[in-house]
C-alpha cells in the first residue's frame, strides 16, 4: 500500500507507489550506516541515488554511485547499501517481481543482529 513507511536502525523507507508486480520506495540511510547484506527470492531491485554517495555491494562487487546514477540488483543477488558520507543518503528503489513483501528478505549479515529474525520468518 502506498504511504507505508518504517523506521529502521540504519534510517527509514517510505513506499511511494506500488501495483501488480512492482513497488517504489524512497530510502533514507543515515551517515555511517548500512543496510543488511541480503537477498530476495521473488524480486529484483533498481536503485537511483537522489542525494549523497551510495557504496553498494552486489554479489561481492563494490560500486560507488552518486546523484543521478543507478545500480541494478538481479533477483537472488546478495546486496547491501552503505552510506560512508557525512550527509544523509537518499535512494529511490524500484522493486520488480511477483512478490514485493517485506518478508522476502534473507539477511546474510546484519550490523543490528537481525539475521535470526529473517531466518525465522523464512522458516515459517
Amino acid at each position: 500500500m502506498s504511504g507505508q513507511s518504517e523506521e529502521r536502525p540504519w534510517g527509514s523507507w517510505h513506499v511511494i507507489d506500488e501495483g501488480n508486480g512492482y513497488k517504489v520506495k524512497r530510502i533514507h540511510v543515515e551517515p555511517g550506516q548500512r543496510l543488511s547484506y541480503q537477498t530476495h527470492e521473488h524480486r529484483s531491485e533498481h536503485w537511483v541515488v537522489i542525494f549523497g554517495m551510495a557504496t553498494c555491494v552486489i554479489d561481492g562487487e563494490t560500486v560507488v554511485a552518486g546523484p543521478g546514477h543507478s545500480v541494478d540488483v538481479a533477483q537472488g543477488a546478495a546486496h547491501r547499501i552503505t552510506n560512508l558520507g557525512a550527509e544523509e543518503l537518499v535512494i529511490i528503489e524500484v522493486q520488480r517481481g511477483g512478490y514485493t513483501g517485506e518478508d522476502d528478505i534473507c539477511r546474510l549479515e546484519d550490523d543490528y543482529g537481525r539475521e535470526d529474525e529473517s531466518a525465522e520468518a523464512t522458516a515459517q
Side-chain angles (χ1 to χ4, degrees), residues 27-65:
I27 297 175
H28 297 258
V29 184
E30 297 297 325
Q33 301 298 312
R34 63 184 184 170
L35 283 68
S36 60
Y37 194 47
Q38 59 188 249
T39 63
H40 304 293
E41 184 177 341
H42 302 284
R43 68 177 186 246
S44 63
E45 295 178 345
H46 178 76
W47 301 328
V48 180
V49 179
I50 303 303
F51 186 82
M53 294 297 290
T55 301
C56 309
V57 177
I58 314 296
D59 278 338
E61 298 284 327
T62 300
V63 176
V64 178

Side-chain angles (χ1 to χ4, degrees), residues 66-77:
H69 292 107
S70 62
V71 176
D72 286 310
V73 180
Q75 184 175 326

Side-chain angles (χ1 to χ4, degrees), residues 103-117:
D103 56 347
D104 182 25
I105 297 174
C106 178
R107 290 189 177 96
L108 306 173
E109 265 180 45
D110 185 66
D111 295 345
Y112 314 101
R114 298 175 299 168
E115 296 100 327
D116 292 340
E117 287 177 24

